Amino acid sequence: MDQLIKKIKAQEEIANQLETALPDREQLLEKVTESANQFLENLPTAKAYQQQEPKMESFLIPEEPKTIKEILDIIQEEVFEPGIRAASGGHMGYIPGGGVFSASLGDFLAAISNEYAGIAFASPGAVAMENVIINWLKKLFSFPENAVGNLASGGSISSLIALTAARDKYGVKNQHILQSVIYMTPQIHHCIQKSLRIIGLEDVIIRYIPLDRHYRMDTLALEKQIHADKSEGLSPFLVIASAGTTDVGAIDPLNEIANISERHRLWFHVDAAYGGFFILTSKKDKFKGIERADSLVVDPHKGMFLPYGIGAVLVKDADAVLHSNLYMANYMQDALSEDLVKSPANVSPELTKHFRALRMWLPLQLHGITPFIASLEEKLLLTTYFRKQLIAAGFQVGPEPELSVSYFWFPYPKDENDFNRRLLHHIHEDGTAFLSSTMLDGRFVIRIAILSFRTKLETIDKAMGMILGCLEKTKMDFSQSELKR
Ligand SMILES: Cc1ncc(COP(=O)(O)O)c(C=O)c1O
């Protein structure tokens, strides 16, 4: 026994290094805070994008521990510098968000306390907080009180939960898969097709419904297709609409789609990952019909400007969600509760769960909802401002956007796509602002996605200056290559 205790003590002495004493904690926090502050102070002047590969060897796990200074230097040089500076207001590619500072305090406390946020028995407070947020979202989207919801890692996993519920509600398995039909537009986010593959629905029939001029679902075509499928003996079961597409920010005609879904008894899912929080703004009416969805996804790491890693799903049919996620194991018997949907682990694939609610709840408590709404309104106005500047500079822009995503291209008389591809290349080389591109009906266009809470009037002006500089460079490239021909 003595020998055993001696061995334990020997290991304990080394293992104790994992517990950090108060003076060391204070010192470490001071250094980390300094680094964070430096990062934030530099943001307005830092590049939004830097084409640079990180040095992999910097990340290798060392034989000997490093000092906090060495570690922070690696993070600064090899993580913060290369690629898109997602916290920057100059990030206007893909779908930004920014990452409000107060959310980081929530994450800090969540990690310190290590609350087990999957099960109410283990962490009643953390779980109650998540449920309060879910209830707030239900109210926001006029979902009934008995709907269930979950805070997942993002829109993709949230969609997975919703689509799995739809699958199980309609019993789409085995031989039924080949006859089952899902409707969506070609503008749907690819996380939907990915989810379908993951949940074993790769072989369902997907009908891509044509779009109108504004890239919204043509509902006449939808209903015609459903009739045609039914008369062929197929089994339509799911319609997926977007409330803010990634490419152009389009909102499908939600209310009409809800009517059609109701008439044909289909599950109606809405991907509002990007657009959903604009329901808080003057654009509220555009979301009419979203309350009639069977499920919806909305991403606080987009429209609530939270750091990456939080999406939300709401589903009306609790039984369908429980069917796919509830599992009782012997070692979980103490955690059994009457109220099954109360525990996030019963309504999502996650068991052990990061205490995500805190990163959303804390900012909402600290700032209130008003500045979030103002920031969303600001983004809508900035989109109009940016477009006006682009038009004045001779660019073509897409139709009046519904939200804060739009696109433009320069009407070059020859090889227009190549010209705009080259223009984006110069924009990426410059990096003052980051923009991304897409293809629309064969045309290469440059997207503007204004959703970072840090994107301001000055950010747009700076981006515009950069675009004009890059336009000149592109024109020069093209006139030189013309001369060479
Ligand atoms: C419309 C839409 N849906 C879903 C997603 C996927 O969300 P996530 O990247 O959080 O998984 C995105 C991502 O940009 C999106 O724009």
Side-chain angles (χ1 to χ4, degrees):
M1 196 68 156
D2 283 356
Q3 206 47 29
L4 178 62
I5 291 174
K6 228 170 122 182
K7 274 188 178 166
I8 293 173
K9 289 281 175 199
Q11 295 303 326
E12 185 187 281
E13 206 181 312
I14 307 169
N16 275 349
Q17 291 171 28
L18 292 180
E19 192 55 276
T20 313
L22 180 62
D24 295 336
R25 285 207 299 275
E26 284 175 339
Q27 220 181 40
L28 288 171
L29 277 175
E30 196 184 308
K31 291 268 185 291
V32 171
T33 307
E34 204 178 285
S35 169
N37 282 337
Q38 195 185 352
F39 175 85
L40 290 176
E41 291 306 304
N42 286 344
L43 261 188
T45 49
K47 295 224 173 223
Y49 180 61
Q50 195 144 308
Q51 285 173 331
Q52 175 190 326
E53 282 297 314
K55 291 191 230 51
M56 286 297 285
E57 60 277 14
S58 311
F59 297 126
L60 298 180
I61 310 302
E63 298 279 320
E64 289 298 318
K66 288 194 161 77
T67 65
I68 189 69
K69 162 131 189 22
E70 287 169 324
I71 295 166
L72 291 171
D73 284 349
I74 295 172
I75 298 172
Q76 171 64 35
E77 285 157 30
E78 308 302 336
V79 182
F80 294 168
E81 293 295 331
I84 303 170
R85 200 164 283 233
S88 160
H91 175 24
M92 294 183 249
Y94 308 112
I95 302 287
V100 292
F101 174 75
S102 50
S104 74
L105 304 178
D107 271 356
F108 179 66
L109 292 172
I112 291 283
S113 63
N114 201 20
E115 289 288 335
Y116 189 94
I119 305 258
F121 166 79
S123 199
V127 167
M129 193 184 281
E130 170 155 343
N131 285 326
V132 163
I133 288 175
I134 294 296
N135 289 340
W136 179 71
L137 291 172
K138 284 186 221 166
K139 239 184 169 159
L140 192 60
F141 292 100
S142 305
F143 263 47
E145 275 176 23
N146 63 356
V148 298
N150 188 256
L151 293 180
S153 61
S156 300
I157 303 301
S158 300
S159 302
L160 190 80
I161 294 170
L163 300 184
T164 307
R167 177 197 70 184
D168 293 350
K169 166 91 175 174
Y170 283 77
V172 183
K173 57 182 177 178
N174 304 330
Q175 72 278 14
H176 296 303
I177 291 176
L178 296 174
Q179 263 75 49
S180 298
V181 193
I182 304 179
Y183 304 87
M184 60 184 87
T185 78
Q187 283 286 306
I188 203 78
H189 190 272
H190 72 277
C191 75
I192 296 293
Q193 287 97 335
K194 200 167 140 177
S195 288
L196 293 174
R197 266 195 249 154
I198 293 169
I199 64 174
L201 296 187
E202 185 171 7
D203 295 327
V204 292
I205 302 162
I206 296 182
R207 302 288 191 210
Y208 289 101
I209 304 302
L211 301 159
D212 68 11
R213 250 176 13 92
H214 295 275
Y215 296 96
R216 296 177 298 214
M217 188 183 281
D218 173 347
T219 48
L220 285 178
L222 169 67
E223 189 146 34
K224 215 164 129 198
Q225 186 64 56
I226 295 170
H227 280 300
D229 289 335
K230 280 184 163 174
S231 64
E232 269 186 50
L234 299 174
S235 309
F237 81 102
L238 170 62
V239 184
I240 306 174
S242 302
T245 56
T246 314
D247 259 358
V248 302
I251 303 177
D252 287 325
L254 302 175
N255 209 39
E256 284 171 48
I257 299 172
N259 288 338
I260 294 169
S261 305
E262 235 168 64
R263 270 202 292 280
H264 295 276
R265 296 203 167 81
L266 311 181
W267 182 290
F268 174 32
H269 174 72
V270 179
D271 178 357
Y274 151 63
F277 284 109
F278 282 101
I279 200 169
L280 286 160
T281 70
S282 49
K283 300 277 182 174
K284 186 175 189 334
D285 288 351
K286 290 191 177 281
F287 294 85
K288 190 167 164 17
I290 201 166
E291 71 287 350
R292 297 170 66 194
D294 292 284
S295 54
L296 78 83
V297 162
V298 60
D299 272 358
H301 68 192
K302 296 186 172 77
M304 289 283 296
F305 321 117
L306 300 185
Y308 293 141
I310 183 164
V313 58
L314 300 178
V315 184
K316 284 185 183 156
D317 191 320
D319 289 340
V321 183
L322 288 171
H323 179 91
S324 15
N325 296 291
L326 178 67
Y327 200 88
M328 286 303 162
N330 289 344
Y331 45 78
M332 296 299 291
Q333 61 187 6
D334 313 330
L336 262 180
S337 129
E338 294 287 297
D339 195 358
L340 290 170
V341 296
K342 202 162 118 186
S343 287
N346 293 340
V347 295
S348 85
E350 286 180 292
L351 176 57
T352 304
K353 176 179 167 122
H354 173 59
F355 182 16
R356 264 176 217 124
L358 192 50
R359 50 164 37 212
M360 178 154 171
W361 181 85
L362 194 149
L364 280 169
Q365 299 290 319
L366 195 65
H367 310 294
I369 189 67
T370 312
F372 289 93
I373 301 173
S375 194
L376 287 167
E377 292 284 7
E378 181 194 27
K379 302 307 105 152
L380 294 167
L381 295 168
L382 287 175
T383 310
T384 305
Y385 177 75
F386 203 167
R387 283 166 50 89
K388 280 183 189 287
Q389 302 276 345
L390 286 162
I391 293 167
F395 286 93
Q396 298 279 328
V397 296
E400 196 58 42
E402 300 201 77
L403 299 171
S404 68
V405 172
S406 187
Y407 58 93
F408 66 94
W409 71 97
F410 192 77
Y412 200 69
K414 244 168 107 185
D415 304 326
E416 192 179 82
N417 279 357
D418 287 344
F419 184 91
N420 284 283
R421 209 172 270 121
R422 184 82 190 151
L423 172 60
L424 187 69
H425 169 80
H426 283 306
I427 289 174
H428 285 174
E429 260 181 354
D430 182 291
T432 303
F434 178 77
L435 303 173
S436 59
S437 68
T438 190
M439 295 300 294
L440 290 171
D441 304 320
R443 170 172 279 143
F444 181 95
V445 297
I446 302 175
R447 292 171 64 258
I448 49 178
I450 304 186
L451 198 63
S452 166
F453 73 103
R454 292 196 175 101
T455 303
K456 302 282 154 194
L457 261 179
E458 311 82 77
T459 331
I460 307 291
D461 289 342
K462 251 169 79 177
M464 208 49 226
M466 174 198 71
I467 292 170
L468 292 178
C470 293
L471 179 62
E472 286 316 306
K473 278 189 199 160
T474 313
K475 281 180 178 168
M476 264 185 4
D477 292 346
F478 271 61
S479 60
Q480 272 165 9
S481 65
E482 281 287 304
L483 284 176
K484 277 190 208 144
R485 271 188 214 168

